[in-house]
Structure formats: structure tokens, C-alpha cells
Amino acid sequence: MRPPASPGKTGWRGLLTAGLLATALVAPLQAAPWLDAVPRTAIVSAFEPELVLLRSQLRQPRVHRVGGVEFTTGRLQGKPVLLFLSGISMTNAAMNTQRALDHFKVRHILFSGIAGGVDPSLHIGDVAVPRRWAPYLEGVLARETAPGQYQPPPWMNDLVGPGFGPFIPRTVEVRSSRQADTERKAWFEVDAALLATAERIAQTPLERCDAQRQCLSQAPRVVVGGSGVSGAAFVDNAAWREYAFNTFQAQVLDMESAATAQVAYSNRVPFIAFRSLSDLAGGGEGENEMHTFMTLAASNSARVLLAFLAAHHD
């Protein structure tokens, strides 16, 4: 059998060119350049009604689009800011927070929006500013070994608290520049300096009635500290609400904050969230109250954020 013919000088040159072209096609893309060179505070909300008040007060707005998401630069309370919607749920929040960090010079991340109340001492309209957040639906659905008894895999040693039926919460794996190896975390702390500013503006006056004259049964207040939890489920269940409070000592639960907190932690960007109670996550009398008090709660959260922006100095 004859050996294959040598490609010769011209042939080698062609093969080399083809190889370089193939490498270029599969090589990772260069990081995108900054879309805006000004260091800014990112202000995030999950969906449109939560951003109405903030957008109405934004000065010098300029819109940028990345991957179908609208990012608006401008000034609030005299500070350079970046406003965008994360989208509802954990995946959207993580993805679009990282997009913001990849394309803009973000100095701090502030989340403003509504949440379900978990702590029985809180009421609809109150604004919670937790000191830490957990992705509490990270977990395992354990094997049922006897009726009503569940056993996780014996090698799973990172469980967090008791279970709810077969579900048992566990820590989440995190990669970041903080260390070479991955780490597992249950909680993501908010930035201490941002939390201190939140404590200074805790007396910010809040609205008790909305434009349709739907009023809360008592005056709302700002509560700084405690814990918040997030997961990819809308909660309207009294038993689950009680479980979240007892297991995590949670004040509020939502569907985005912990995901944004994890991205902020991984990128070493200071983070804090302002969440106003629109409902009691199944703990109220009758039907869920979110659509009744959503606008009022979102407005109260935005009011606290604006007071925070005015008071905070690096």
C-alpha cells in the first residue's frame, strides 16, 4: 500500500491557514468593551411595576440593549446609576445581573421590589432590608424510607436545617476569584457599609394608601436586619411560610434577591436589597393580596431606595 503523498510547501501552507481559521472559529470571544465608562450604582427590579417610580425620577436617561435586555444609564438623587429589570425568577436575575457587570462599571448593586412576608411581626407595606440572603430552594428531594420518613444520600453532608416532606435544603456551590477551589454557602451577606446606610434612613416615611385610596390597616415601617430567602417558586402556602420562618428565621421571601446576591459575591461587588411586603405568602386571610397592594409596596420600596441613594457616600 502506497503511503499518502506529502502535501508539499504550498499544501502545508494551506493546511496551516485552515487550522488557524478553525481555531479562530472556536476560540472564545474577547470580553465586550464597556458600553458606558462611568462607574455607576446598579438598581435592579424584577418586573416593570417595581421600577415605575425610579424611572420617573431618572435624569439624563440613555438606553442600551444587551441580549434583549434594556439597560438605562442616568442620574438619581444626583448619583450616576444603571437601571434594569432582572426578569422574574432566579435564573433571569443571575443572568442579567452578570450581563450588567460584564458591560458596565458597576460599583454597587441595589435591588428594589416586592416580596412575600414570612415573619409574623411584619405587615403588608413594610420594607425589609435583610442583612443576608439564602437560595432556600437549593436542596434534595430525599428517598422515602418509611411512610412520612425521608433519608438523604449518606454522603450529602451540606444540609441546612430540617426538611419539609421530602425536600431538605442544602448549600449552593459557588465559584469566584476569592479562592481557587469552589465553596459551598448557605448565606450571602449584604455589604456592611450599605447596611449601615440603610440603618441611618430607617425612619423614611412610607405611604399607607395608594392612588385608588386602598389603605393599609396600619402605618408601614422600614425594618433593617434579619434574613431573606429566594427561590424559583411563587409562595402562597401557609405551611410553607411557617417552615421558611422557623428554618431560616426569614423575614421575607422572593424569587430573585439571593441569586443577585450570589452573583455580586462572586464578582466582589457590594450588594443590598430593599423588599416591601405586597402579601403574606399564604399567611393572610382569604386570597393572596399581591395584586391589591403590589403598587403601594413597590412604591414604598423605591422610596426607601431613593432615601438610601441620597444618604450614601463612599
Side-chain angles (χ1 to χ4, degrees), residues 88-101:
I88 296 172
S89 201
M90 301 285 278
T91 301
N92 285 327
M95 175 177 65
N96 291 319
T97 300
Q98 189 61 58
R99 274 180 172 155
L101 295 175

Side-chain angles (χ1 to χ4, degrees), residues 271-289:
F271 166 82
I272 196 169
F274 305 87
R275 288 288 191 166
S276 183
L277 278 64
S278 61
D279 62 277
L280 299 179
E285 297 180 5
E287 295 183 358
N288 186 278
E289 308 93 331

Side-chain angles (χ1 to χ4, degrees), residues 35-36 40 62-66 69-73 82 104:
L35 295 178
D36 178 84
R40 297 181 183 275
R62 183 184 177 190
V63 176
H64 310 260
R65 293 187 179 276
V66 181
V69 179
E70 186 176 283
F71 296 88
T72 306
T73 57
L82 169 71
F104 299 88

